[in-house]
Each structure stands twice: as C-alpha cells, then as structure tokens.
Amino acid sequence: MSAGPARAPAYVGRFAPSPTGPLHAGSLVAALASWLDARSHGGRWLVRIEDVDTPRCVAGMDAVILGQLAACGLEPDAPPCWQSTRGDVYAQALQTLIDTGAAYPCDCTRREIDEALAAQGVVHERFAERIYPGTCRPRPDGTGGPRGRSRVAWRLRAGGVVDWDDRRLGPQQQDVASAVGDFVLRRADGVWAYQLAVVVDDAAQGVTDVVRGEDLADNTARQILLQSALGLPTPHYLHTPLVRGADGHKLSKQNGAAPLELGDATHAVGALQSAGSVLGLPAISATAPAAWLAAARPAWHGIMRGFATRSTS
Ligand code: GLU
C-alpha cells in the first residue's frame, strides 16, 4: 500500500540554557525567538537545561531560569529535561562513533597540543579555537594513537566542508577540519562535550528547528557532521541577533549583564519588549506577559518573511 506523500515532521523547538547564571537581556532574546517561532508554526516548545559542564554550573540556577521564563509567560509544553541525567545516552552515542571508527581516543595535554601547533608554526592566539594538530589520530600506516595514559578524551575525526542554510543569516559554509580540527566529544575528566550532548538531545526530543543566539552559529557545522556520523536528522537553524555589552562582545555576566528585573508584570512586559525590539518586533502595548506574547505572535510572521527574503537574496 502506498504511504502517500511524505509529511514534514511537526515543528518542535527548544530553548537550551546553561545554568551558569540567571537569564539576562541577551539570553531572553533567544528564549523569546524560539518560543515565538514554535508558536507561529503551531509547534511545541521545550526547555532543556544544559548542565553537562558541571564545573561551570551554579547550584539552583536551573530553578531561577525556569522561574524567570515562567514570569515572562514562556512555559514549556513538557517538563524540562536535564542533561546531567543523560550520561548513559551520550555514552551509547559515543560507542556508536567508536565502533564505526569516527571517534578516537586522545591523551594529549593542552601543553602538548600547543607545542605541536608551535612546531607547525601555528601561534595560538588567546581565546582562539585551538585546532587539534591530529597527534593521536590513528593513521593508515598504524602510527598515531594515544601514548597510553590512563585518562583519555574522545575526538571526532572531522573531515569535509559543511554547507547549511541559516534561516536568518542565509547560506553558510565551514571546512570543519581546517576551522576547528578533530573536536572533543568527551573530555579526559569525563565531562561530555556540548557538541555531542546537544546533537543527541535535539534528536531525542524530535527538535525540528533550533533557534538560538548568533554566537553559537559556528558550532552548527560540527553539529551537522555529528548528526550525519550518528545517522540523525539535521534540524533547521535560525541564529538570532546578539545583545552586546559595553565592550562590544556578546552580553554576559563578565561584561555587565544584569539579571532580568522581573518583579512584576510591568517589568516582565518591559523585558519582553526589549528582547522583541532586538528581534525587530514593533512596540506592543500590554499590561501582562500573556497579552504581550499573544500580540507578538502575528508580528513574528512579518519578521520571518524578512529572514526568508534575506536568506535567498
Ligand atoms: N546551552 C547553550 C548556551 O546556553 C545553548 C545551546 C544551544 O542552544 O544549542 O549557550
């Protein structure tokens, strides 16, 4: 019997904060955009707490963030998911990558990586991506591989140019091998890398559309490589404009982001309005977050049309 024409999967969006600090004006932009996009597509909106990098997480911050979202009327359609509970699932995904030869162990120290790069004439700039020189990557002639230390990180063999189309930024391209090299999936201290956890969880939650801040755009090619290595679908991506701090960098606690002031409905509406204006939404007069959000939904359609025009021009 014919199955009929293929149907696009129903829209599922998500907001995935790391509980390293409370939401600020910049993170609310991503939360609001992902919520508006999901609602405008008649889709579901999920929240995932990305607490894999335990040394950076602050106890109790997940509850603070969920409270801030609720104060803004941004309620997920299912109970939130915590990445710290999902180690077994990440381990299974890593095992698949090991079994297919896509992942390999690496016991280089940071210093050894810097020395290998220096020997190649590469000077490591502060804050710049350290492109792994491939020391532990097994070679066809049997050389390479780790030195036999007890603690190893796992890396993905990164090869190939990845092309993708961002719904706001338009066509994008990254040669992952030359831009970041073989990247880490699990650190030597056992912490799961963001790249692996995000790819496994987006697929597990059926996420069709990732809407997040533009500072994360250059992770997308790595995530697409991992999706294809794991046989997982690639969602659509939309990267939202950033709010910048006084130093011109993405707004963060370090450059003066204040936690959102959400004491009452007026403050919450003010915070939504500021986030909305970063996204290009017009001023909306409302006395409560729910009314503000209801009025913002139709306006988001116009914003999306602007994105689509830009991405095909
Ligand atoms: N947890 C990441 C952050 O807070 C966001 C990850 C994502 O949206 O893919 O920066």
Side-chain angles (χ1 to χ4, degrees):
M1 207 168 80
S2 156
R7 236 186 270 162
Y11 184 113
V12 180
R14 51 60 160 192
F15 176 56
S18 304
T20 53
L23 289 185
H24 53 68
S27 32
L28 185 62
V29 172
L32 174 62
S34 63
W35 185 92
L36 282 172
D37 203 53
R39 290 292 175 260
S40 306
H41 286 87
R44 282 158 52 78
W45 185 70
L46 307 176
V47 172
R48 183 170 73 229
I49 303 292
E50 299 212 319
D51 55 350
V52 274
D53 191 353
T54 31
R56 288 182 55 234
C57 294
V58 178
M61 210 38 83
D62 48 356
V64 171
I65 293 173
L66 294 171
Q68 290 178 300
L69 291 171
C72 290
L74 304 172
E75 302 270 6
D77 294 318
C81 139
W82 274 259
Q83 286 191 325
S84 53
T85 64
R86 295 183 46 76
D88 291 352
V89 189
Y90 307 144
Q92 258 172 32
L94 176 60
Q95 193 57 52
T96 304
L97 296 168
I98 295 169
D99 292 346
T100 57
Y104 66 86
C106 163
D107 60 4
C108 291
T109 62
R110 193 169 287 195
R111 179 151 173 205
E112 284 163 346
I113 294 175
D114 284 345
E115 283 167 0
L117 289 172
Q120 294 174 0
V122 182
V123 182
H124 175 66
E125 312 239 344
R126 226 172 142 220
F127 302 124
E129 198 78 56
R130 223 183 226 94
I131 300 167
Y132 183 61
T135 320
C136 291
R137 185 192 252 238
R139 295 190 191 82
D141 65 1
T143 61
R147 301 159 184 77
R149 292 180 183 141
S150 56
R151 286 174 16 140
V152 295
W154 288 88
R155 293 181 179 273
L156 188 84
R157 280 173 187 270
V161 174
V162 177
D163 288 287
W164 54 282
D165 207 357
D166 187 271
R167 290 175 48 207
R168 184 176 75 92
L169 303 171
Q172 308 287 310
Q173 188 178 73
Q174 189 182 64
D175 179 344
V176 179
S178 65
V180 286
D182 293 349
F183 56 91
V184 171
L185 303 169
R186 187 180 194 180
R187 295 188 341 207
D189 61 3
V191 171
W192 293 103
Y194 157 65
Q195 309 294 355
L196 182 74
V198 81
V199 160
V200 168
D201 285 345
D202 281 339
Q205 293 184 293
V207 170
T208 60
D209 286 71
V210 170
V211 178
R212 62 186 176 192
E214 200 175 312
D215 56 312
L216 294 164
D218 76 344
N219 291 279
T220 309
R222 269 170 279 181
Q223 293 170 15
I224 292 173
L225 270 190
L226 258 178
Q227 286 151 3
S228 92
L230 287 166
L232 301 174
T234 291
H236 302 286
Y237 288 95
L238 191 171
H239 288 90
T240 57
L242 297 183
V243 179
R244 297 193 183 273
D247 58 0
H249 288 111
K250 176 199 163 197
L251 192 63
S252 67
K253 257 189 318 196
Q254 287 69 33
N255 63 11
L260 290 172
E261 175 76 63
L262 297 170
D264 57 28
T266 312
H267 283 117
V269 166
L272 286 168
Q273 186 62 62
S274 303
S277 64
V278 174
L279 294 167
L281 291 168
I284 294 166
S285 110
T287 52
W292 190 94
L293 290 168
R297 275 167 67 166
W300 180 253
H301 282 282
I303 303 286
M304 280 194 297
R305 274 195 293 277
F307 293 160
T309 312
R310 178 151 7 146
S311 68
T312 51
S313 62

